[in-house]
Amino acid sequence: MTACIEPILGRYLHLDYAGRPYRIYFESAGPEGPKAGIPLLCLHTAGADGRQYRGLMNATSVTDRFRVIAFDLPWHGKSSPPEGWQDEEYRLTADFYTGIVMAFIAALSLERPVVMGCSIGGRVVLHLALRHPGAFRALIGLESSAHVDPYYDTSWLHRADVHGGEVAAGAVSGLVAPQAPAAERWETLWHYMQSGPGVFKGDLYFYGIDGDVRDEIARIDTSRCPLYLLTGEYDYSCTPEDTLTVARAVPGAKLTIMKELGHFPMSENPDLFLSYLEPVLAEIASPG
Amino acid sequence: MGGAAAKMELSEISSRLTALPERVEADAVLLRRGRVLNATCQLIVGTDAFLLRIVDGRVHDVRRGPLVTPSAEFTIAGDATVWRRFLAASRPPGDHDLFAFVKRRELQVTGDLHPLMSHLLYWKGLFGHLHAESAP
């Protein structure tokens, strides 16, 4: 038998936000305390959770310099929905999303963190750049767009006669690049299969409607908040052209199109993703 | 595309569809995914049509048109050139999944989509058997 323990620490944060108490699960890896690395806060995709960043948290090339932190949004992963959820329809809004990210940063006393988000997380970094430009060392948008066109009717994601986890996994399966290793591909889909009822659909309310930021991105000031954009070539939800549109609208934004990657670079192929991310992190960490 | 090339393509797609029941029968994972699926799907390839009848996850039969008053739960339709790209052995980014074509309106999916959406991974696996590299 062989056994080992990963250097990832999981904890729960009790956080009162917008008048409601939340119990938020987060994981972290990398040095804490006086010799803490640069905080790198990672935001998961719609209908998934922080496990997507497992590869990053186990990469010493990253955790040597960064303290990597990923929290599960309320309703996701091990962050249960708040009391009374059973009488509500979950819908993620731009105000709630940006607000809870900032509340989490404040609760953990993260000083000018780097925030990296994927998909809906890649969208919310644009909102963060607009609303809190002085709060971050840098922002990294993975599969980041100002707006996306739908490719199916999202009402299929939440109805009692269709298994929500199976349809969610089927809906996103084509967003994983064909080159992804089978184990990582299917673990990525497993996260979707485990999502709570209506959660993926509720996240897509932000992605498709409330988080549309096309009219505002030209105001992003990269001199105050450096913005890096990395998108997989196989992503047909947030296409490379969608990200290119953002890069063209935001002077100073730095764009990378990632070969042989899709919509979930950090979880579908962590090693390949790291080869694209490490130069970005090195630039962010450099004193100049 | 010339008429001769189009006919050749249709013939190739038809032969892949003909081989589909046997290929699905040999795919135990796909059969398990589709074990409670019973549905008929119409594929429209240009001006030609095919009916796939699925019974308990098995491809019970494949009928090639012309079809008179065909009955199917749902239809996937597109030009022959689009189907050629969808079923090619080597597919570039953007041509690698059914929904990528649907998003660009190059393939149209219509009808009662419950059998499709409730069994998406099954259907994607089934279409995977039609790709050129999978075909015998």
Side-chain angles (χ1 to χ4, degrees), chain B residues 85-98:
Chain B
R85 285 163 45 211
F86 178 47
L87 299 179
S90 176
R91 284 160 288 147
D95 280 4
H96 62 287
D97 188 73
L98 170 66

Side-chain angles (χ1 to χ4, degrees), chain B residues 69-126:
Chain B
T69 63
S71 180
E73 274 80 15
F74 68 96
T75 297
I76 304 176
D79 293 340
T81 52
V82 172
W83 280 101
R84 175 172 54 84
R85 285 163 45 211
F86 178 47
L87 299 179
S90 176
R91 284 160 288 147
D95 280 4
H96 62 287
D97 188 73
L98 170 66
F99 278 167
F101 287 92
V102 171
K103 182 176 182 181
R104 295 191 301 264
R105 315 294 195 267
E106 292 181 300
L107 289 174
Q108 289 83 40
V109 182
T110 55
D112 173 9
L113 302 196
H114 190 277
L116 173 69
M117 298 304 289
S118 63
H119 286 77
L120 259 182
L121 287 172
Y122 171 88
W123 289 102
K124 287 189 176 185
L126 181 136

Side-chain angles (χ1 to χ4, degrees), chain B:
Chain B
M1 178 179 299
K7 275 183 184 173
M8 189 180 298
E9 260 174 11
L10 204 56
S11 165
E12 190 176 335
I13 291 172
S14 180
S15 69
R16 290 186 208 172
L17 283 165
T18 302
L20 194 58
E22 191 178 343
R23 296 187 65 83
V24 170
E25 191 65 34
D27 187 340
V29 173
L30 196 61
L31 288 176
R32 178 169 55 84
R33 284 212 178 98
R35 63 194 179 280
V36 298
L37 176 63
N38 293 282
T40 301
C41 165
Q42 181 177 213
L43 306 180
I44 295 181
V45 182
T47 56
D48 215 326
F50 301 85
L51 275 185
L52 269 68
R53 187 155 71 99
I54 310 297
V55 177
D56 297 333
R58 292 181 156 80
V59 181
H60 189 273
D61 57 70
V62 178
R63 286 175 57 202
R64 182 176 176 177
L67 304 166
V68 180
T69 63
S71 180
E73 274 80 15
F74 68 96
T75 297
I76 304 176
D79 293 340
T81 52
V82 172
W83 280 101
R84 175 172 54 84
R85 285 163 45 211
F86 178 47
L87 299 179
S90 176
R91 284 160 288 147
D95 280 4
H96 62 287
D97 188 73
L98 170 66
F99 278 167
F101 287 92
V102 171
K103 182 176 182 181
R104 295 191 301 264
R105 315 294 195 267
E106 292 181 300
L107 289 174
Q108 289 83 40
V109 182
T110 55
D112 173 9
L113 302 196
H114 190 277
L116 173 69
M117 298 304 289
S118 63
H119 286 77
L120 259 182
L121 287 172
Y122 171 88
W123 289 102
K124 287 189 176 185
L126 181 136
F127 290 132
H129 282 300
L130 292 175
H131 290 144
E133 72 267 34
S134 301

Side-chain angles (χ1 to χ4, degrees), chain A residues 10-62:
Chain A
R11 282 174 286 197
Y12 287 93
L13 168 72
H14 286 259
L15 179 67
D16 286 332
Y17 174 69
R20 302 181 84 174
Y22 291 93
R23 184 169 180 258
I24 293 178
Y25 178 73
F26 69 99
E27 294 180 343
S28 62
E32 299 184 30
K35 294 184 178 178
I38 299 166
L40 172 58
L41 179 62
C42 301
L43 308 175
H44 57 74
T45 63
D49 58 64
R51 285 175 296 176
Q52 292 180 317
Y53 289 95
R54 176 173 59 82
L56 201 62
M57 290 192 179
N58 278 301
T60 54
S61 62
V62 175

